[in-house]
């Protein structure tokens, strides 16, 4: 279900963000958690968009959907 997929992605993004903080030796505080979570989410979205095939629907940063050409 969509709920399950979103939960799984949340786990992945949180793990990526935690790894980013550890690699960068950042303190585990709210500010760094928010920043690295945003960075992880942006990286994941870009990777998925870049790997999408022509004709697949992808979501832009502004939230709008379009078919990849």
């Amino acid at each position: 279900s969509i709920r399950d997929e979103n939960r799984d992605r949340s786990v992945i993004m949180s793990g990526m963000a935690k790894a980013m903080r550890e690699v960068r030796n950042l303190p585990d505080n709210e500010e760094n958690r928010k920043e690295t979570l945003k960075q992880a989410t942006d990286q994941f979205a870009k990777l998925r968009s870049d790997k999408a095939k022509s004709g697949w629907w992808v979501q832009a940063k502004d939230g709008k959907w379009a078919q990849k050409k």
Side-chain angles (χ1 to χ4, degrees):
S1 74
I2 292 174
R3 179 177 284 156
D4 292 339
E5 182 68 24
N6 287 340
R7 185 184 60 243
D8 291 347
R9 284 184 184 167
S10 178
V11 169
I12 291 167
M13 296 305 107
S14 295
M16 286 175 62
K18 181 178 179 186
M20 292 168 95
R21 289 190 305 278
E22 289 174 357
V23 166
R24 297 174 184 169
N25 293 316
L26 297 174
D28 187 23
N29 58 43
E30 185 65 26
E31 180 180 350
N32 288 334
R33 283 191 296 271
K34 286 174 72 173
E35 181 62 27
T36 55
L37 183 58
K38 180 180 180 339
Q39 291 170 357
T41 301
D42 289 347
Q43 286 181 11
F44 184 80
K46 182 173 179 350
L47 176 67
R48 297 290 295 184
S49 179
D50 289 350
K51 294 208 176 253
K53 296 180 181 178
S54 179
W56 287 12
W57 286 88
V58 294
Q59 189 174 21
K61 279 189 149 190
D62 64 6
K64 294 181 181 174
W65 288 87
Q67 279 187 295
K68 187 169 180 178
K69 297 181 185 219

